[in-house]
Amino acid sequence: MESVDGAVRTLPSIGRLSRGLPFGRPHGQFGLSPSGRLLPPALRSQENADPRRTAFLLHKQWTLYSVTPLYRFSNTRLRDYARLLSAFIAAEKQKGLAVEIGVELDIKVAVSSIPDLKGSDQDQAAILVQLSLRSPASSKNSEEKLIWLGWFCCVSGDDLSENVPEDFTCLPLFLANGAESYTSIVGSWFQKTFDCCFRRLAISPLNLSWMAAMWTGCKVDKTASAMELVFSVPHLPQPLDISYAIHPEDAKALWDTVQKTPGEITQEEVDVFMDCLYSHFHRHFKIHLSATKLVKVSTAVASAHCDGIIKVRF
Amino acid sequence: MDEILAEYIRRTVLKIPRDEIKTVLQTWGFLSEAQLQTVNFHQIKENISQDVVRLCEENSADIKQAAVLDIIYNHIYSDKRVWSVYQMSKTGEETEFFDLTDFKKKFKRRLRSALKNVTINFREYEDNSIWIRIAWGTPYKKPNQYKSSYVVYHSQTPYVFISASVLKSTLPLLCQALVVASNYRDIREMELRSHSLNSLKDIVFKRYSQNFQTYYPRPLQERNVAPESADLRIVQENRHEKERIERVNRKVFGDGPQPKLEFAQYKLETMFKSDPKMGVLDKKEPFRCLVKFSSPHLLESLKSLAPAGMADAPLSPLLTCIPQKARNYFKIREKKGIFPGSFVSP
């Protein structure tokens, strides 16, 4: 599942980005091809996509997990899954292991498929799990309150799904928004039911630099927020964090002169882009950012933290 | 004692760590020792705070006493606020006799003439500092005790340490009152900020140790662990480089502990320079960046950068000038007409 990390780069393309957004195709251990990567349309199915159906993923903070292929998962049984998961959560609550919530409250589970969310035609449609609270004490048509969201998706193109044996479904990326206790209950139900395994997904500095470059290249309006890189300096007696924020227009102007290969982004271009920013920094402060650790990238389009937390704004 | 005041005292007590509530109340001195004996300081803070409020009601506390308790709290836990340094100036060099009573009177009069609804309290400390607490209201609203400003003034110096209220509009009025009350002509922000009030004082009063000891080399560990097979010249060169870094670092930072600052900020509006062969960004406009450094102890961490191999030695003057220039907020522009690589900060 190493290449899932690389697949994370494609996430913002799920939003309402312009068609030209670079779309990564992970190869090899770090999700990188040695030469570069093609820039196919952001999302093939996006042409007919209803933005309202995918709007839920914007402006939320998502924690990333990698998931091994699901055994005997069927898209036609989503209703059953919702019922079973709901029973499982109720049982966990009874055990007292679950979240602190009022006894009167009842959790409703919905599992649905979102065909708009996938990287390529071969990919599985994304699966959305929603937990909402409803209180039986209040009137029947009372509003349900969404308390937790999680979705499985496939953004890695053909590479991963192709080699999956029969009876297995490949949805290698899981994103959760809401209390961790719910993530853990839902996760353990999926692990038990589909014999899969969840793991927190860290984003490597290399992939963060890819995101920085790709997102910088996206067209955004003039009032856009700065492109911010956050570095942490390891192994000092006193920890040090450095935030390096660049005016979005200036960052884009730099990237536009660096990005030369038509229809493609190469590792070399990403390296040159970061090296240019590092040397500008070094000229002022005499500090080698290349020796520090890039921990967070934040642009007007999206932000990503090395701990595997992302937020898509656009 | 009204409910708002009772709640204010209760919340102030809740802010204090439980083990220290008794000491703080003793410093306050508003409740008698006999009264304090009746409070069980081992119960949960919620209950302690209610007991304290009950005793304050017995003594019919007013806002003045509550404000003093808040000053005591902020004096002990001054690290909870962010402090900015301001410098006042006057035309002549004449030193005037400082009269505290006169200062207080003028300060109050000035503020009250502009705004009726303010709570102003003073407390003097042994280090010759005057702590001033101001809670701000509006012409129609009572002062908001929770959003007060703090001023620490050392009367023999032109420096004032202000922890401003979140009510930003009150700052000009506060500065005006300070200038008038202390017989100065002008006041300006020094762009030096920290949580550590003491470190700010160390910097502006030049109290931090800058004793540059004469250099006597200590044997470096590497001498003993160097593998025998390694090229002796490389070992030698590495050692020389390490010694050079240490020497340069000591020259720049001194030997003593650094004053404590948590952040430094640089707004860069300088040209982007790159290798012409790379053919990237050749712009005549400045490249706009905002760089922020943060650390629980910024200057110590900057000091350790070069020895850790993360930075050149010496480190950039932009960073090492912080204590001497007494500022940690900068705007950097390109020096015009001079060779590249030099910057100015206004």
Side-chain angles (χ1 to χ4, degrees):
Chain A
M1 289 289 98
E2 296 93 337
S3 50
V4 174
D5 173 18
V8 171
R9 291 175 195 164
T10 63
L11 278 170
S13 61
I14 299 161
R16 277 167 288 170
L17 288 178
S18 66
R19 200 91 333 133
L21 187 89
F23 177 64
R25 290 167 53 89
H27 297 266
Q29 204 184 353
F30 298 104
L32 280 175
S33 63
S35 57
R37 58 189 64 198
L38 296 169
L39 305 176
L43 274 180
R44 271 154 231 212
S45 51
Q46 209 188 356
E47 305 289 335
N48 333 314
D50 180 354
R52 274 172 303 177
R53 272 183 297 187
T54 50
F56 75 88
L57 61 82
L58 301 176
H59 306 290
K60 281 193 188 72
Q61 187 169 288
W62 298 100
T63 308
L64 307 178
Y65 295 82
S66 69
V67 189
T68 57
L70 312 181
Y71 181 59
R72 296 218 159 142
F73 175 87
S74 166
N75 261 321
T76 56
R77 296 194 55 207
L78 299 183
R79 255 163 210 264
D80 297 339
Y81 297 156
R83 199 168 37 80
L84 292 166
L85 178 55
S86 171
F88 182 76
I89 293 172
E92 287 291 307
K93 267 168 60 186
Q94 294 245 303
K95 272 200 268 175
L97 294 172
V99 246
E100 277 293 318
I101 34 171
V103 217
E104 311 302 321
L105 296 168
D106 188 14
I107 291 176
K108 193 193 155 193
V109 180
V111 181
S112 55
S113 163
I114 319 168
D116 300 340
L117 288 181
K118 56 180 174 181
S120 73
D121 292 341
Q122 286 77 33
D123 284 344
Q124 276 285 329
I127 301 293
L128 175 66
V129 182
Q130 288 167 289
L131 304 189
S132 359
L133 270 188
R134 61 181 165 198
S135 161
S138 51
S139 62
K140 273 187 185 162
N141 51 8
S142 69
E143 262 186 36
E144 288 167 355
K145 197 182 154 220
L146 194 60
I147 49 165
W148 182 93
L149 271 177
W151 50 293
F152 294 87
C153 70
C154 192
V155 282
S156 44
D158 338 320
D159 307 1
L160 282 170
S161 9
E162 251 173 22
N163 304 319
V164 174
E166 218 181 311
D167 282 341
F168 282 94
T169 304
C170 192
L171 286 163
L173 190 59
F174 179 69
L175 301 94
N177 168 262
E180 211 165 307
S181 44
Y182 289 116
T183 310
S184 120
I185 297 178
V186 174
S188 60
W189 183 80
F190 272 89
Q191 300 201 36
K192 246 177 55 175
T193 315
F194 303 107
D195 197 19
C196 59
C197 182
F198 284 66
R199 205 168 299 145
R200 265 300 281 274
L201 187 65
I203 308 176
S204 68
L206 186 74
N207 278 318
L208 284 177
S209 61
W210 268 85
M211 293 173 191
M214 294 193 311
W215 296 343
T216 300
C218 295
K219 273 194 206 101
V220 278
D221 52 355
K222 279 212 158 188
T223 54
S225 51
M227 178 249 212
E228 187 193 14
L229 305 171
V230 179
F231 299 87
S232 112
V233 188
H235 314 305
L236 292 186
Q238 296 282 343
L240 173 67
D241 288 317
I242 301 171
S243 150
Y244 184 10
I246 300 127
H247 194 287
E249 286 172 13
D250 296 357
K252 189 172 186 317
L254 173 64
W255 173 245
D256 287 347
T257 58
V258 170
Q259 213 269 320
K260 284 168 181 146
T261 331
E264 192 177 18
I265 293 179
T266 65
Q267 181 64 52
E268 204 202 334
E269 288 164 355
V270 176
D271 289 345
V272 168
F273 178 64
M274 296 306 277
D275 286 347
C276 283
L277 293 176
Y278 291 175
S279 82
H280 185 69
F281 190 89
H282 180 264
R283 195 164 78 89
H284 292 80
F285 300 107
K286 306 291 173 218
I287 294 172
H288 304 286
L289 285 181
S290 52
T292 68
K293 189 186 173 208
L294 178 59
V295 292
K296 194 185 169 194
V297 167
S298 168
T299 71
V301 173
S303 70
H305 191 279
C306 65
D307 289 344
I309 292 167
I310 61 157
K311 193 170 180 179
V312 183
R313 302 206 173 88
F314 213 109
Chain B
M1 195 166 99
D2 65 12
E3 249 170 65
I4 297 169
L5 183 62
E7 182 62 14
Y8 182 71
I9 294 176
R10 203 179 70 82
R11 289 207 201 176
T12 309
V13 172
L14 283 176
K15 284 195 287 186
I16 310 167
R18 197 182 62 178
D19 296 345
E20 288 158 50
I21 295 178
K22 196 176 178 185
T23 329
V24 173
L25 293 178
Q26 280 168 335
T27 314
W28 187 29
F30 178 65
L31 302 176
S32 70
E33 200 55 40
Q35 281 176 311
L36 290 179
Q37 293 291 338
T38 66
V39 181
N40 171 12
F41 287 98
H42 297 291
Q43 59 187 334
I44 57 165
K45 277 212 284 190
E46 186 62 41
N47 294 344
I48 301 176
S49 71
Q50 275 161 12
D51 289 354
V52 171
V53 167
R54 190 177 37 81
L55 294 174
C56 288
E57 250 152 22
E58 280 177 21
N59 292 17
S60 21
D62 60 22
I63 184 59
K64 198 179 165 210
Q65 276 98 24
V68 170
L69 177 62
D70 188 48
I71 297 181
I72 291 166
Y73 171 82
N74 279 284
H75 180 255
I76 300 174
Y77 304 100
S78 61
D79 285 8
K80 302 245 181 234
R81 307 185 76 108
V82 175
W83 299 89
S84 284
V85 190
Y86 287 72
Q87 188 176 23
M88 297 191 290
S89 53
K90 56 176 92 186
T91 15
E93 285 298 306
E94 79 283 7
T95 340
E96 282 162 37
F97 173 70
F98 179 79
D99 180 52
L100 183 60
T101 328
D102 184 53
F103 172 84
K104 287 182 180 173
K105 205 173 74 197
K106 280 188 185 161
F107 185 83
K108 277 194 201 164
R109 200 197 299 143
R110 183 74 195 192
L111 276 191
R112 292 242 158 86
S113 69
L115 193 62
K116 231 180 176 180
N117 281 324
V118 279
T119 316
I120 307 166
N121 296 85
F122 301 89
R123 190 176 168 90
E124 295 107 67
Y125 282 91
E126 300 81 41
D127 63 347
N128 277 322
S129 65
I130 304 147
W131 282 61
I132 313 168
R133 176 187 180 279
I134 309 108
W136 307 89
T138 67
Y140 312 103
K141 262 194 195 151
K142 284 196 164 175
N144 184 340
Q145 302 298 337
Y146 295 97
K147 293 175 180 171
S148 47
S149 305
Y150 267 87
V151 176
V152 178
Y153 177 46
H154 286 250
S155 57
Q156 328 82 326
T157 78
Y159 300 107
V160 188
F161 305 88
I162 298 181
S163 174
S165 161
V166 285
L167 309 166
K168 290 269 184 294
S169 56
T170 59
L171 191 60
L173 193 57
L174 174 60
C175 286
Q176 235 178 51
L178 278 167
V179 170
V180 169
S182 54
N183 290 325
Y184 276 90
R185 213 181 115 247
D186 204 7
I187 186 167
R188 69 171 184 102
E189 206 197 334
M190 290 177 70
E191 303 283 354
L192 177 65
R193 278 160 240 172
S194 173
H195 284 282
S196 171
L197 181 61
N198 283 330
S199 286
L200 293 176
K201 290 185 184 176
D202 287 348
I203 291 173
V204 297
F205 299 154
K206 309 261 183 244
R207 289 197 301 214
Y208 67 100
S209 90
Q210 252 184 326
N211 56 326
F212 306 113
Q213 281 180 16
T214 33
Y215 176 59
Y216 37 88
R218 276 173 248 144
L220 291 167
Q221 282 183 338
E222 278 72 9
R223 264 182 202 171
N224 309 323
V225 292
E228 283 175 32
S229 61
D231 188 329
L232 271 178
R233 282 168 302 180
I234 295 177
V235 175
Q236 187 81 3
E237 204 178 300
N238 284 345
R239 202 182 62 227
H240 283 321
E241 178 58 13
K242 282 212 160 160
E243 285 173 358
R244 187 191 69 85
I245 291 172
E246 259 195 45
R247 206 166 47 235
V248 168
N249 230 26
R250 188 165 296 144
K251 205 173 152 194
V252 173
F253 289 98
D255 268 332
Q258 303 293 311
K260 199 165 170 219
L261 295 173
E262 298 88 5
F263 31 75
Q265 182 177 303
Y266 298 83
K267 200 169 175 196
L268 304 181
E269 283 178 8
T270 52
M271 298 320 246
F272 189 85
K273 299 223 164 61
S274 63
D275 187 349
K277 273 177 271 171
M278 296 223 280
V280 298
L281 195 66
D282 185 23
K283 233 172 63 151
K284 297 283 165 281
E285 302 292 310
F287 194 73
R288 292 158 289 179
C289 309
L290 182 66
V291 175
K292 292 179 195 170
F293 295 87
S294 51
S295 165
H297 203 327
L298 180 71
L299 295 172
E300 287 293 351
S301 65
L302 291 179
K303 187 179 168 183
S304 58
L305 278 176
M310 308 275 181
D312 297 351
L315 202 61
S316 163
L318 290 183
L319 294 166
T320 54
C321 75
I322 292 172
Q324 287 88 350
K325 283 210 168 168
R327 67 187 293 180
N328 55 355
Y329 281 72
F330 298 88
K331 192 171 175 184
I332 312 293
R333 284 170 309 179
E334 202 85 39
K335 227 179 219 174
K336 287 217 175 71
I338 306 188
F339 59 92
S342 56
F343 312 104
V344 282
S345 64

